[in-house]
């Protein structure tokens, strides 16, 4: 076997292995413990820091699954504009029960979950996003803290598969060079 054939077929094998690894992806898991729960019913409180951005979203797709250990709170994910809107409105402005603004039922919420065991799922998008937490219903929360568990599944994106295909085609073409 000639040197060009070995290199070319090697590139094809690398492209196939990258495509398989990109399809399977990998999962990052973790836990955030002792998050203080809000004690204002039907009001969302947001984290000071935004969620980590997916700067490689054209090459890597990420999906988040978040669960928590209590059912008397909800969790939302919103963009920066919605966070600013919710934080600018004073708590007494909304008549509880008559509006869905700044709650998990708000139309501008990207992802929301009101059941801790089911949690929420979100395909991470580019941009600045914030996580918020609030109390479900009119009652005060049962405890002072909540524990959250997350999984982030990373896979190759469309552009990555296109690049893998280009490497495979280039390897096949190089193996045919005389």
């Amino acid at each position: 076997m000639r040197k060009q054939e070995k290199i070319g077929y090697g590139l094809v094998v690398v492209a196939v292995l990258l495509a398989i690894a990109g399809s399977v992806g990998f999962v990052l898991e973790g836990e955030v413990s002792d998050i203080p729960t809000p004690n204002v019913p039907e009001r969302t409180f947001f984290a000071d820091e935004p969620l980590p951005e997916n700067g490689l979203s054209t090459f890597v797709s990420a999906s988040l699954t978040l669960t928590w250990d209590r059912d008397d709170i909800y969790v939302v994910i919103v963009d920066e504009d919605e966070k600013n809107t919710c934080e600018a409105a004073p708590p007494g402005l909304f008549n509880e029960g008559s509006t869905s603004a700044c709650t998990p039922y708000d139309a501008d919420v990207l992802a929301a979950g009101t059941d801790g065991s089911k949690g929420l799922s979100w395909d991470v998008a580019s941009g600045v996003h914030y996580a918020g937490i609030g109390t479900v219903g009119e009652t005060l929360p049962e405890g002072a803290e909540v524990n959250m568990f997350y999984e982030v599944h990373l896979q190759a994106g469309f552009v990555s598969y296109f690049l893998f295909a280009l490497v495979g085609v280039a390897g096949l073409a190089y193996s045919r060079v005389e």
Side-chain angles (χ1 to χ4, degrees), residues 103-127:
T103 67
Y105 310 109
D106 189 351
D108 294 327
V109 168
L110 301 173
T114 57
D115 183 1
S117 60
K118 291 181 184 176
L120 68 87
S121 295
W122 177 53
D123 291 330
V124 179
S126 60

Side-chain angles (χ1 to χ4, degrees), residues 18-19 21-25 58-61 154-161 164:
L18 286 173
S23 295
V24 173
T58 55
F59 299 102
V60 178
S61 66
L154 302 170
Q155 289 183 299
F158 175 75
V159 174
S160 296
Y161 289 115
F164 301 157

Side-chain angles (χ1 to χ4, degrees), residues 134-159:
T135 305
V136 175
E138 305 262 340
T139 61
L140 293 177
E142 295 171 7
E145 297 172 342
V146 64
N147 299 317
M148 296 196 176
F149 311 94
Y150 64 87
E151 287 184 0
V152 179
H153 190 221
L154 302 170
Q155 289 183 299
F158 175 75
V159 174

